[in-house]
Amino acid sequence: MSDYRIETVCVQGGYTPGSGEPRQIPIVQSTTFKYATSEEMGRLFDLEASGYFYSRLQNPTCDFVAAKIAALEGGTAAMLTSSGQAANFFSLFNVASCGDHIVSSSAIYGGTFNLISVTMAKMGIQATFVPPDCTEEELNAAFRPNTKAVFGETIANPALTVLDIEKFAKAAHAHGVPLIVDNTFPTPVGCRPIEWGADIVTHSTTKYMDGHGAAVGGAIVDSGKFDWMAHAEKFPGLCTPDESYHGITYAEKFGKEGAFITKCTAQLMRDFGCTQSPQSAFYLNLGLESLHVRMARHCENGQAVAEFLAAHPKVDAVTYCGLPGDKYHALAEKYLPNGSCGVVSFELKGGRPAAERFMSRLKLAAIETHVADARTCCLNPATSTHRQMTDEQLRAAGVPAGLIRMSCGLESARDLIEDIRQALEAV
C-alpha cells in the first residue's frame, strides 16, 4: 500500500483478502494453533518460519491491524499491545535495562511520567526530564554515557506542547540512541514523526485510532532506520545473542527493519503478556477505516472551540497550537500543517474552583477520564489523570492545577460552543 495516499491506507491497508476470503479482517478468536508435526512448530519457536502458535505472542487479527498502522506511519514493522502504557513501556524497556538512563520531555501524559519517573526507576532505569522548549545545549547536557533512548509526545497530553521532533532526533542520533515519539494525539493523519527523524513511534490506540471508546489498546511502530549494529555496545539486547531465545542476535538475523519489533514480541510480550485481544483489534480496525475523515472534524471543532474560548472574558488562557498567538503555532505549521487534534486546554479566571464550577454545569460535554473520542468530554487533569504529580511537577509538565482539558468530539461545533457558553455563565 506504499503507493497509496493515507486515506486509502486507512480503509484498505494491512489486509488483502484472496478470492472467496472475508472482505473484513477476520477475528481469529483462538488462543492456540494446530500443526501437523512438532518440527513445524519448532521452526516457529526458533524464529525460522513465520506463523502462529500462541496468541499471547502473535495473532493474525492483531497482525493485520498492526500492519495497517505500520503503513500509516511509514514504518517497517509494528505490534499491538494491551494499552498505550504498555506500548510506551515496551518501547523503552526494549532498549533500556537496570543501570541505564533515559532522556524524556517533561511535557508528557501524567501516567507516562509516573511510569518513567517511578516504576522504571524501581527497575534501576533513571531518567532526566527536559522542557520541550529547551535549547539544543540544554538537551545535549541531559545525556549520559548510559543513555539508551529519548522520549517525547508529538502533542503532549494535556499540556498540548508541540515537540520539535527534528531537534530531539538530532540530539538523540548525535548520542547514538533512538528517538521514541508517542504520536497518539495527531495520529499519522496529522503527523508522521518518522519523516522528521523519529525511530520508534507509539500510540494509545484507545484514543483517536479507535475513536469510539470501545477498546483499550496500544501500538508500537519501528521506522526500520536506526542502525543498532552501528551502536552495538549500547544495545547488547539487540546486538548480542539472546540465550533465552536460542542464541538469536536480533539485529543480525532481522536487520534494521525487523530487529526491534521481533525482540519486543519474542522477549517482552512473551514475558509480560500485555496482549491486545483479537476482538479489540477488530474494533480498532473499524475506527482506523474512518480515521482520516474523523480527524478533520475533530480539528475543525477544536479550532472553533479554541477561538471562542480565546475571546471570552472569563477565560484566562487557552492552549491550542492552531491559534495564531499560541506559543507552538510555528511548530504546528511545520509538523502539523493539516491540523493538530480536537483537544483544547484552557484556564479560567478563578483557578481550580472556577474550573470545578464550570465542569459541573456542562450538559453536552461529559466529565470522563478519557480523551480523543467521538463524543466531547472534559476533565481537570490535576484531580484525575495527573493527580499523582506534585504542584511543582504539574507546572513543569505544563499542567497547572486549574487547567481544563476539553476533547472536542464530532458533534456540531455550534452546539459545543453553546454548551460552553452556558457553563461559563455560572462561573
Side-chain angles (χ1 to χ4, degrees):
M1 300 292 291
S2 60
D3 295 333
Y4 292 98
R5 292 173 175 80
I6 199 164
E7 297 88 346
T8 303
V9 178
C10 281
V11 179
Q12 295 205 28
Y15 172 70
T16 303
S19 180
E21 293 182 344
R23 187 64 192 88
Q24 181 55 275
I25 288 177
I27 303 171
V28 182
Q29 193 65 51
S30 180
T31 61
T32 53
F33 300 82
K34 177 182 179 294
Y35 287 89
T37 67
S38 295
E39 287 76 15
E40 286 183 82
M41 183 172 285
R43 295 188 70 223
L44 298 176
F45 275 91
D46 288 341
L47 300 180
E48 295 292 341
S50 61
Y52 304 92
F53 51 85
Y54 195 55
S55 282
R56 187 178 80 234
L57 276 83
Q58 288 180 285
N59 174 280
T61 307
C62 295
D63 281 359
F64 288 139
V65 182
K68 175 179 285 190
I69 295 174
L72 288 171
E73 286 288 5
T76 57
M79 64 187 290
L80 301 187
T81 61
S82 57
S83 68
Q85 277 291 76
N88 284 334
F89 172 63
F90 275 20
S91 68
L92 290 165
F93 199 58
N94 207 33
V95 293
S97 56
C98 183
D100 289 335
H101 175 256
I102 294 165
V103 173
S104 174
S105 167
S106 61
I108 56 176
Y109 169 60
T112 309
F113 183 92
N114 197 67
L115 167 69
I116 296 171
S117 65
V118 178
T119 302
M120 295 187 75
K122 292 177 181 177
M123 302 169 75
I125 301 170
Q126 300 301 313
T128 298
F129 292 92
V130 296
D133 308 327
C134 64
T135 65
E136 290 189 18
E137 292 74 20
E138 291 169 332
L139 179 54
N140 281 294
F143 286 82
R144 302 176 187 175
N146 60 337
T147 299
K148 297 300 175 70
V150 179
F151 180 84
E153 296 178 1
T154 312
I155 302 175
N157 175 15
L160 301 184
T161 58
V162 178
L163 189 72
D164 190 341
I165 301 172
E166 284 192 316
K167 178 179 74 176
F168 275 74
K170 178 182 176 183
H173 298 158
H175 293 270
V177 302
L179 171 62
I180 302 171
V181 175
D182 184 327
N183 197 38
T184 295
F185 268 13
T187 79
V189 172
C191 179
R192 305 212 314 171
I194 290 171
E195 295 177 352
W196 299 101
D199 301 290
I200 307 295
V201 174
T202 64
H203 285 274
S204 170
T205 61
T206 318
K207 309 305 190 297
Y208 284 122
M209 283 188 164
D210 173 298
H212 301 84
V216 175
I220 307 172
V221 180
D222 184 8
S223 70
K225 295 180 179 180
F226 192 85
D227 192 345
W228 305 104
M229 291 302 293
H231 309 282
E233 73 287 351
K234 280 184 173 289
F235 305 105
L238 283 152
C239 302
T240 60
D242 177 7
E243 298 306 329
S244 77
Y245 224 104
H246 317 295
I248 283 174
T249 300
Y250 297 100
E252 288 182 352
K253 186 173 182 62
F254 301 100
K256 292 188 295 183
E257 296 78 13
F260 186 90
I261 294 297
T262 303
K263 175 180 180 292
C264 208
T265 301
Q267 208 178 72
L268 301 189
M269 191 62 83
R270 174 196 66 192
D271 294 345
F272 288 95
C274 300
T275 313
Q276 185 166 153
S277 74
Q279 188 73 49
S280 292
F282 178 83
Y283 292 142
L284 168 58
N285 185 62
L286 292 179
L288 289 171
E289 289 180 353
S290 64
L291 182 64
H292 57 295
V293 179
R294 290 185 290 106
M295 286 308 296
R297 181 58 175 265
H298 283 298
C299 292
E300 178 184 325
N301 282 357
Q303 185 72 30
V305 166
E307 290 174 359
F308 170 78
L309 289 167
H312 200 284
K314 293 185 179 181
V315 176
D316 194 39
V318 180
T319 301
Y320 188 75
C321 62
L323 294 175
D326 188 85
K327 182 179 181 180
Y328 297 95
H329 186 66
L331 282 177
E333 287 190 315
K334 174 180 178 179
Y335 294 116
L336 306 155
N338 298 317
S340 57
C341 64
V343 183
V344 181
S345 290
F346 59 99
E347 295 178 71
L348 300 180
K349 293 174 181 176
R352 191 188 301 225
E356 292 174 351
R357 187 165 179 80
F358 167 81
M359 291 171 63
S360 71
R361 295 301 182 100
L362 289 170
K363 297 177 181 179
L364 189 58
I367 299 174
E368 299 177 11
T369 310
H370 193 41
V371 69
D373 191 280
R375 294 159 291 270
T376 296
C377 53
C378 74
L379 54 72
N380 172 233
T383 57
S384 53
T385 56
H386 288 61
R387 69 180 302 128
Q388 77 278 7
M389 298 171 71
T390 65
D391 283 353
E392 183 178 333
Q393 289 173 329
L394 286 168
R395 284 191 295 271
V399 191
L403 187 79
I404 296 171
R405 181 189 72 184
M406 178 167 283
S407 174
C408 300
L410 302 178
E411 304 93 344
S412 161
R414 293 172 64 183
D415 288 339
L416 292 179
I417 289 171
E418 184 55 40
D419 190 34
I420 295 168
R421 189 197 311 277
Q422 64 84 26
L424 284 171
E425 290 176 357
V427 176

